[in-house]
């Protein structure tokens, strides 16, 4: 079982690493956006912590703040699902602007994706990077998510307030035929979810799909 325990540890550690890295980007985004007149509240990615439970069959897990309320996916992993709450809500628009901001700040090398949560508090996010990574960091999502974001992102008023450049002209220049595979996502744009304030076992370790 040593191999399984080691795999469990690596998956839980990666979950913490990805979410807390995205959290640091969100802090910088907030520092730039909050002073702008009319921008208002900025989404926050909550911290996640690694815990060790020696007596448990799955000894390594993660724990985070309890979120209670309507749980919404504001940006999907591969960009194919149209989420009207994302497009029409303030939180959804600001999440998409955050993605655009990160993409521009990293010169298209990194994208925070799978933004979801309750109101302005987000959790369980993903990061996609180019194959070579970005400044030594490699994400946990496919590079295709970056390509699809570049092709499908529609700027909103918050993108304009931050002075972000439209991706439309850039995509037209770089567009090439691609064939990608992505995971099937829930058809419903919203689900109700309560994240209890207790240990959360890494999904990849306990899921039969991985």
């Amino acid at each position: 079982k040593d191999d399984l325990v080691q795999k469990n540890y690596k998956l839980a550690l990666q979950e913490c690493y990805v979410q807390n890295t995205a959290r640091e980007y969100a802090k910088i985004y907030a520092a730039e956006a909050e002073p702008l007149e009319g921008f208002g509240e900025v989404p926050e990615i909550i911290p996640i912590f690694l815990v060790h439970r020696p007596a448990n069959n799955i000894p390594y897990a993660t724990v985070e703040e309890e979120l209670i309320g309507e749980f919404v996916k504001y940006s999907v992993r591969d960009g194919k699902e149209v989420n009207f709450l994302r497009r029409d809500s303030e939180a959804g628009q600001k999440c998409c602007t955050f993605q655009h901001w990160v993409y521009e700040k990293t010169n298209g090398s990194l994208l925070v994706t799978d933004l979801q949560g309750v109101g302005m508090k987000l959790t369980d996010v993903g990061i996609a990077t180019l194959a070579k990574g970005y400044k030594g960091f490699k994400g946990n999502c496919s590079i295709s998510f970056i390509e699809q974001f570049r092709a499908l992102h529609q700027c909103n008023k918050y993108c304009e307030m931050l002075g972000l450049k439209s991706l439309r002209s850039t995509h037209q220049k770089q567009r090439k035929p691609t064939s990608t595979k992505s995971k099937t996502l829930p058809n419903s744009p919203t689900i109700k979810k309560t994240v209890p304030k207790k240990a959360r076992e890494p999904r990849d370790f306990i899921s039969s799909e991985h």
Side-chain angles (χ1 to χ4, degrees):
K1 292 185 178 181
D2 288 347
D3 289 344
L4 289 176
V5 169
Q6 188 64 21
K7 181 180 179 183
N8 169 218
Y9 170 72
K10 288 181 177 179
L11 288 170
L13 188 65
Q14 182 191 47
E15 189 174 349
C16 290
Y17 190 33
V18 167
Q19 183 153 320
N20 290 326
T21 296
R23 173 175 164 80
E24 293 305 311
Y25 279 107
K27 287 180 181 179
I28 303 171
Y29 169 65
E32 290 192 16
E34 285 178 333
L36 299 175
E37 183 178 355
F39 198 96
E41 187 181 2
V42 181
E44 172 196 1
I45 296 175
I46 64 174
I48 187 172
F49 305 95
L50 179 69
V51 293
H52 183 212
R53 310 166 298 172
N56 196 286
N57 288 333
I58 302 177
Y60 293 98
T62 60
V63 63
E64 62 183 14
E65 176 185 352
E66 180 180 30
L67 296 182
I68 299 176
E70 185 177 23
F71 196 90
V72 180
K73 275 185 171 291
Y74 295 118
S75 68
V76 295
R77 290 174 69 93
D78 63 4
K80 289 184 177 178
E81 180 181 302
V82 176
N83 187 330
F84 292 101
L85 282 178
R86 174 195 70 193
R87 188 178 68 185
D88 297 337
S89 72
E90 178 184 352
Q93 289 185 36
K94 288 178 176 178
C95 283
C96 290
T97 297
F98 171 55
Q99 290 186 291
H100 189 174
W101 178 87
V102 171
Y103 177 89
E104 186 169 301
K105 287 291 183 181
T106 61
N107 296 315
S109 298
L110 185 147
L111 179 72
V112 180
T113 187
D114 209 16
L115 297 174
Q116 55 193 314
V118 177
M120 292 285 183
K121 288 198 171 184
L122 311 176
T123 183
D124 203 17
V125 304
I127 293 180
T129 59
L130 297 180
K132 62 182 180 180
Y134 179 72
K135 294 186 176 180
F137 176 83
K138 286 194 175 184
N140 61 339
C141 296
S142 168
I143 186 177
S144 66
F145 298 172
I146 296 179
E147 297 166 354
Q148 291 176 37
F149 172 78
R150 183 171 60 235
L152 299 173
H153 173 68
Q154 295 181 0
C155 287
N156 57 56
K157 65 179 182 180
Y158 300 108
C159 296
E160 294 174 2
M161 291 174 72
L162 281 166
L164 301 176
K165 299 175 183 176
S166 172
L167 304 181
R168 291 297 178 183
S169 58
T170 303
H171 174 64
Q172 292 300 324
K173 293 177 183 178
Q174 298 180 354
R175 188 175 183 181
K176 296 179 181 179
T178 58
S179 176
T180 60
K181 293 182 179 180
S182 57
K183 294 180 180 179
T184 301
L185 295 166
N187 291 327
S188 174
T190 64
I191 59 174
K192 289 196 175 183
K193 172 182 173 182
T194 298
V195 182
K197 196 171 185 180
K198 62 180 182 179
R200 186 174 78 192
E201 296 165 352
R203 294 168 300 167
D204 287 348
F205 180 73
I206 60 176
S207 171
S208 61
E209 295 179 0
H210 298 278

